Each structure stands twice: as structure tokens, then as C-alpha cells.
């Protein structure tokens, strides 16, 4: 099955470079390009690509707002969005993920990481560049300015808490199973239950919630990421 991708960036040379990379990847096809956020939203709604690759800084509508309109919590039929930017700023990463992005990359991430992020987003998984993730998620534990989100109406079980903390520490599903002495299918069942209870759309949102609710202390904050194909296999 071919993954259909829409590219949105206000620089012609960047769009051309991204298209060149993606056009060489088997099973990926670029179906459209947009030079501003407003056009990107319109094209995405019309073309319904499998993945939207959006720049953060675009005229008309920026990448975070475009993500919110295409993949936000109130969107009835959300699209998969990967945000890509030159700017390694925490507020951009946080804003993009809260808006519904399934991935966040810097433009120097390279062709392999870009392709992994596209494929992960198309599967419903999430991938953030490893050089961003540890600092970003650790900042949730350090920050006291953000309000702590409420606990779910249906409380987490003791086992779900263990699975959540293991995921927040960067463990894959297979590693969680080994650590807790439970089967891979049981881990997946717990992950699905966590997503339902926390109204999370992907694994990254689960981990963000764990940090925001202070379940993970700064001293134990490692590098969470999907770590390429290895975690993609474990995330299932």
C-alpha cells in the first residue's frame, strides 16, 4: 500500500528537497505541495493524504494551527501530521504534539529518520527525533507553570500504572513485557486501555501525560522515542 504524503513548506527549495527524498522511497508518493498553511489545510481536506508533512513557520496559518485544524482533538476525521522545522524550540515541539502531531523532526534529521516518521505516522504510531525527546519530556517534570491535567474518570489499575511508567521510561512493548513478566499481547491490551482512559491518540500522548501528572521524576527521565524501526516493531 502506497503512503500518500502532502508537503507544506514556504520555501520552494525545501519542498523540492523533501519531495526528492520521499520520491526515492518505496511505498511513498508525494501527492501535493503547499507553500502556506491555509493552502495546506485546504489541500489536505481535499486530497485526504495518509500523512501531512508540515513546516512550523508558514505564512497565512502556521504549522501548529494547521495541525490543530487537521488533527486536533475536536476533528471528527483527523489526518496524520508530522511536523518538521529548522527551529529546535521546546514550545514548538510541545505545541505541535498537543495540537495532534504524530511526529516532530528537525530538517537536518536525515532521509532515514524522515522516512521512519512518515511510515510511523501512517501506521498510527508516533516518532519524535531522539535528540529532541529527552530534553522535551524532562522539561514537563521540571515545569511547575503548566497546570497538572486531571485524573481520568475511570482510574488506572496498578498494572496500567506500571505499564505507563515503563513506556514513559522509553521501553518498547517487548521490553515492558519482559520487565513486568507479562505477554506482548497483554502489554498491548494495557496500552489500548490507557489510550482509552486518557483519551490519548498515540503513545507519545501517553508519555506526555505521565510527565505532566508528575508520575515520572526528573531523575528518572530518559530519552523516550520510538527509536526507529526497533520501537516501531515493539509499539505494535
Amino acid at each position: 500500500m502506497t503512503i500518500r504524503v502532502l508537503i507544506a513548506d514556504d520555501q520552494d527549495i525545501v519542498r523540492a528537497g523533501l519531495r526528492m527524498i520521499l520520491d526515492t522511497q518505496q511505498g511513498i508518493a508525494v501527492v501535493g505541495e503547499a507553500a502556506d498553511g491555509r493552502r495546506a489545510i485546504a489541500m489536505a481536506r481535499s486530497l485526504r493524504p495518509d500523512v501531512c508533512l508540515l513546516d512550523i513557520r508558514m505564512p497565512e496559518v502556521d504549522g501548529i494551527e494547521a495541525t490543530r485544524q487537521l488533527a486536533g482533538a475536536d476533528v471528527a476525521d483527523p489526518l496524520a501530521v508530522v511536523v518538521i522545522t529548522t527551529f529546535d524550540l521546546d514550545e514548538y515541539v510541545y505545541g505541535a504534539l498537543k495540537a495532534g502531531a504524530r511526529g516532530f523532526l528537525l530538517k537536518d534529521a536525515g532521509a532515514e529518520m524522515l522516512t521512519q516518521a512518515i511510515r510511523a505516522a501512517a501506521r498510527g504510531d508516533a516518532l519524535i527525533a531522539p535528540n529532541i525527546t529527552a530534553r522535551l519530556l524532562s522539561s514537563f517534570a521540571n515545569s511547575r507553570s503548566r497546570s497538572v491535567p486531571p485524573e481520568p474518570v475511570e482510574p488506572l489499575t496498578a498494572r496500567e500504572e506500571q505499564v505507563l511508567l515503563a513506556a514513559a521510561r522509553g521501553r518498547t512493548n517487548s521490553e515492558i513485557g519482559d520487565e513486568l513478566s507479562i505477554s506482548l499481547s497483554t502489554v498491548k491490551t494495557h496500552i489500548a486501555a490507557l489510550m482509552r482512559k486518557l483519551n490519548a491518540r498515540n503513545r507519545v500522548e501517553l508519555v506526555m501525560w505521565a510527565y505532566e501528572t508528575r508520575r515520572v521524576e526528573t531523575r528518572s527521565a530518559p530519552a523516550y522515542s520510538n527509536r526507529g524501526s526497533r520501537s516501531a516493531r515493539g509499539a505494535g
Side-chain angles (χ1 to χ4, degrees):
M1 179 179 176
T2 300
I3 300 172
R4 301 166 63 251
V5 179
L6 170 69
I7 297 173
D9 193 291
D10 61 335
Q11 297 184 43
D12 294 345
I13 192 170
V14 173
R15 293 198 310 276
L18 292 171
R19 175 184 278 275
M20 183 175 64
I21 291 171
L22 295 178
D23 279 346
T24 64
Q25 304 301 314
Q26 184 175 5
I28 296 179
V30 177
V31 296
E33 296 183 19
D36 64 74
R38 194 177 306 281
R39 178 64 175 159
I41 293 168
M43 290 185 67
R45 288 172 173 169
S46 173
L47 296 172
R48 300 296 301 177
D50 299 302
V51 179
C52 301
L53 187 61
L54 306 181
D55 185 25
I56 282 282
R57 291 190 175 181
M58 292 188 291
E60 302 292 336
V61 177
D62 66 33
I64 292 177
E65 179 57 29
T67 299
R68 188 175 295 111
Q69 293 191 34
L70 296 174
D74 59 347
V75 177
D77 191 12
L79 293 166
V81 173
V82 173
V83 171
I84 184 167
T85 182
T86 307
F87 304 97
D88 183 8
L89 300 177
D90 287 350
E91 58 266 31
Y92 284 168
V93 187
Y94 183 83
L97 296 178
K98 294 299 284 186
R102 290 187 188 171
F104 191 102
L105 300 175
L106 297 181
K107 290 181 179 177
D108 62 0
E112 182 178 359
M113 181 68 71
L114 174 63
T115 303
Q116 287 176 0
I118 294 290
R119 296 191 190 280
R123 287 194 307 268
D125 294 334
L127 187 147
I128 309 174
N131 59 327
I132 296 173
T133 317
R135 189 191 70 248
L136 169 71
L137 294 179
S138 295
S139 73
F140 294 151
N142 288 328
S143 175
R144 301 296 168 181
S145 60
R146 297 189 181 100
S147 59
V148 177
E151 294 293 315
V153 174
E154 184 181 353
L156 305 187
T157 66
R159 181 62 87 187
E160 287 167 354
E161 292 278 5
Q162 292 175 330
V163 170
L164 177 65
L165 289 178
R169 294 187 182 100
R171 306 294 191 265
T172 66
N173 283 359
S174 296
E175 291 168 343
I176 293 171
D178 292 342
E179 184 176 304
L180 300 180
S181 298
I182 57 179
S183 69
L184 180 60
S185 62
T186 300
V187 175
K188 292 181 178 181
T189 297
H190 287 310
I191 292 291
L194 286 165
M195 288 185 177
R196 175 179 58 80
K197 289 182 178 182
L198 302 179
N199 195 28
R201 290 161 294 182
N202 53 56
R203 195 181 187 91
V204 169
E205 289 190 358
L206 289 181
V207 176
M208 290 172 66
W209 189 85
Y211 276 82
E212 291 175 322
T213 55
R214 321 297 190 214
R215 279 169 163 77
V216 184
E217 298 296 330
T218 306
R219 62 178 177 274
S220 64
Y224 170 82
S225 76
N226 276 2
R227 292 181 294 189
S229 58
R230 178 168 177 260
S231 282
R233 290 194 297 269

